[in-house]
Amino acid sequence: MPTNQFDITAQSILFLMPPGVQPPFQVRLGVHTTNGGLLSKGDFTIANCQDIADAVQKAMQLIETMNLKMAADFILVLPPFVGRNEAEEAALIDTAWSIKEAADKGGWEFSRHLPPPIF
């Protein structure tokens, strides 16, 4: 009996780090497939991330373990959370810069918004 193989592509890492969150935190690895006309999109939650480097490392391990493809426009995303005061806003800016540095190191993009759906 033939099996249908799907080429699943890793598209993004979404950092769930609202103001005031302390480690461990979660990230979501966004994936999609377009095999055989079947369009599908979803994510894997990666828990217990101690810092940004740990989150990226865990996502890369999952990508490798599951033999996923990396999208050419792979992106790290920190949603546009809003701080309740100046200190939280400053911490968000620092976090955004740290995630951008991780993106630059990996040769990926960085955004404060998720990419548009592929379908």
Side-chain angles (χ1 to χ4, degrees):
M1 181 166 154
T3 59
N4 292 330
Q5 291 286 71
F6 288 105
D7 290 326
I8 300 174
T9 302
Q11 183 178 18
S12 62
I13 301 174
L14 174 64
F15 287 80
L16 301 174
M17 301 174 69
V21 71
Q22 298 296 317
F25 58 90
Q26 297 181 354
V27 296
R28 291 195 180 142
L29 176 64
V31 298
H32 71 268
T33 184
T34 57
N35 286 44
L38 175 64
L39 302 173
S40 182
K41 186 170 183 164
D43 61 62
F44 294 97
T45 299
I46 302 170
N48 299 319
C49 300
Q50 298 303 314
D51 56 31
I52 293 164
D54 183 48
V56 170
Q57 179 183 12
K58 287 178 177 178
M60 293 301 112
Q61 287 174 339
L62 182 59
I63 290 167
E64 183 178 325
T65 300
M66 294 185 70
N67 199 29
L68 305 178
K69 294 180 181 178
M70 292 275 292
D73 58 351
F74 190 78
I75 187 168
L76 304 188
V77 180
L78 178 65
F81 296 116
V82 177
R84 294 173 290 201
N85 55 47
E86 257 184 63
E88 285 186 353
E89 285 293 326
L92 277 170
I93 291 169
D94 288 345
T95 300
W97 275 109
S98 296
I99 294 171
K100 179 166 181 352
E101 288 172 359
D104 290 347
K105 183 177 178 182
W108 310 312
E109 298 178 33
F110 168 75
S111 180
R112 296 297 307 270
H113 302 280
L114 281 171
I118 57 169
F119 43 85

